[in-house]
Amino acid sequence: MLSSNIKGVANGFPLTIQVEKTVTKEVDFNPEFLRHIFTKLEWKALVDAAKTMGYTELPEETPTLTEIETNDDLLRKLNHALLELHLEEGALLCPETGRKFTVSKGIPNMLLNEDEV
């Protein structure tokens, strides 16, 4: 979801977030899920996105697997950034073309124009 699929775009990741409104929706804490998904995350992109949305509690440096296995506080911060913080209104911007994909009521409009397919 954080990359652009516009024809001819080579560097469409990560999309930049323009925030108009965020909401927090509480989600059950599931450490097993977070440990499993951690290895699939692009940490810098997550940290940058969280900062753009006003959340600065994640460490800049990618945590080690040991930290993920043993640090409950870190997992709770990851849970908040990844699952509870939502972009309600705003836009996602392609880093290469500047194309804006609007987000309304939490739903991004990623439809491409005919000339972009």
Side-chain angles (χ1 to χ4, degrees), residues 1-5 12-17 45 49 82 87 91-95 101-104 106-111:
M1 170 65 91
L2 288 179
S3 65
S4 177
N5 292 317
F13 177 84
L15 295 174
T16 304
I17 300 171
L82 192 62
L87 179 64
L92 303 173
L93 295 154
C94 175
F101 301 96
T102 58
V103 177
S104 179
I107 301 170
N109 180 354
M110 303 296 289
L111 295 175

Side-chain angles (χ1 to χ4, degrees), residues 5 30 43 46 63 75 103 113:
N5 292 317
N30 184 340
W43 188 259
L46 174 63
L75 284 179
V103 177
N113 298 321

Side-chain angles (χ1 to χ4, degrees), residues 14 47 53 68 76 90 92:
V47 170
M53 294 179 58
I68 290 297
R76 289 188 181 280
L92 303 173

Side-chain angles (χ1 to χ4, degrees), residues 24-52:
T24 300
K25 299 177 183 178
E26 192 171 324
V27 174
D28 290 337
F29 180 61
N30 184 340
E32 293 80 26
F33 169 76
L34 294 168
R35 287 181 187 112
H36 177 74
I37 199 149
F38 171 74
T39 59
K40 297 165 179 55
L41 294 175
E42 187 75 40
W43 188 259
K44 182 176 177 351
L46 174 63
V47 170
D48 290 346
K51 280 183 181 178
T52 300

Side-chain angles (χ1 to χ4, degrees), residues 72-89:
D72 194 54
D73 184 52
L74 176 60
L75 284 179
R76 289 188 181 280
K77 290 174 181 177
L78 176 59
N79 185 72
H80 181 73
L82 192 62
L83 302 173
E84 296 182 331
L85 191 57
H86 296 269
L87 179 64
E88 189 71 8
E89 301 291 333

